[in-house]
Amino acid sequence: MVVPILCLLWAIATAVRPAPVAPLGGPEPAQYEELTLLFHGALQLGQALNGVYKATEARLTEAGRNLGLFDQALEFLGREVNQGRDATRELRTSLSEIQAEEDTLHLRAEATARSLREVARAQHALRNSVRRLQVQLRGAWLGQAHQEFENLKDRADKQNHLLWALTGHVQRQQREMAEQQQWLRQIQQRLHMAALPA
């Protein structure tokens, strides 16, 4: 940048024809002085332009380095976003599987509850039969009626035991369903938080 300017000034200086030697005090010394000032100004201008060029080059280098760091950060963030999307997909798949398991468990619990209601109805009918037999036995203690009473009493005991076992099973299933629902709610909350934009 500086060299072309100096060449241009040199060409101008050599193109100027010197005037005939003038006596002392003439205009000739002033022309050489102007040329010297012109060369000095051009030299200073060249140095200033050289400084600006170097400063601009340093800034461009720094900007390129910062741009490279920015590209690396974007690439890293892109990988993180992709991993987050994969994790969200896996969570949704797990959530669907858990929901299906919970639905199955709920259907089983409903079936068990229906069985319990049927057993309770049968037990109620059995108690009514026992009461009727007790009334009959009060009037006449007959061997056949007594045997039927004992059979009915055994059946009632078995029904009571079955009802107790089924009740415990239903209570366990209800506890498991409550735990599943709590876990499902926690996963849904995490999934919702993961889906929110950063």
Side-chain angles (χ1 to χ4, degrees), residues 167-181:
T167 302
H169 181 65
V170 167
Q171 288 173 348
R172 277 195 305 276
Q173 281 191 336
Q174 287 173 342
R175 279 195 305 271
E176 288 175 4
M177 283 181 62
E179 290 172 2
Q180 284 273 33
Q181 287 173 347

Side-chain angles (χ1 to χ4, degrees), residues 31-82:
Q31 286 182 0
Y32 283 119
E33 186 177 330
E34 288 173 3
L35 280 175
T36 303
L37 288 174
L38 185 61
F39 274 124
H40 184 65
L43 185 61
Q44 286 182 342
L45 178 62
Q47 288 174 346
L49 287 174
N50 192 25
V52 170
Y53 172 76
K54 286 183 178 176
T56 304
E57 187 178 24
R59 286 179 187 166
L60 285 173
T61 303
E62 182 67 20
R65 192 162 41 248
N66 290 339
L67 189 59
L69 292 174
F70 181 70
D71 286 343
Q72 289 176 0
L74 278 180
E75 185 179 347
F76 174 75
L77 285 175
R79 285 196 301 269
E80 289 292 315
V81 167
N82 288 335

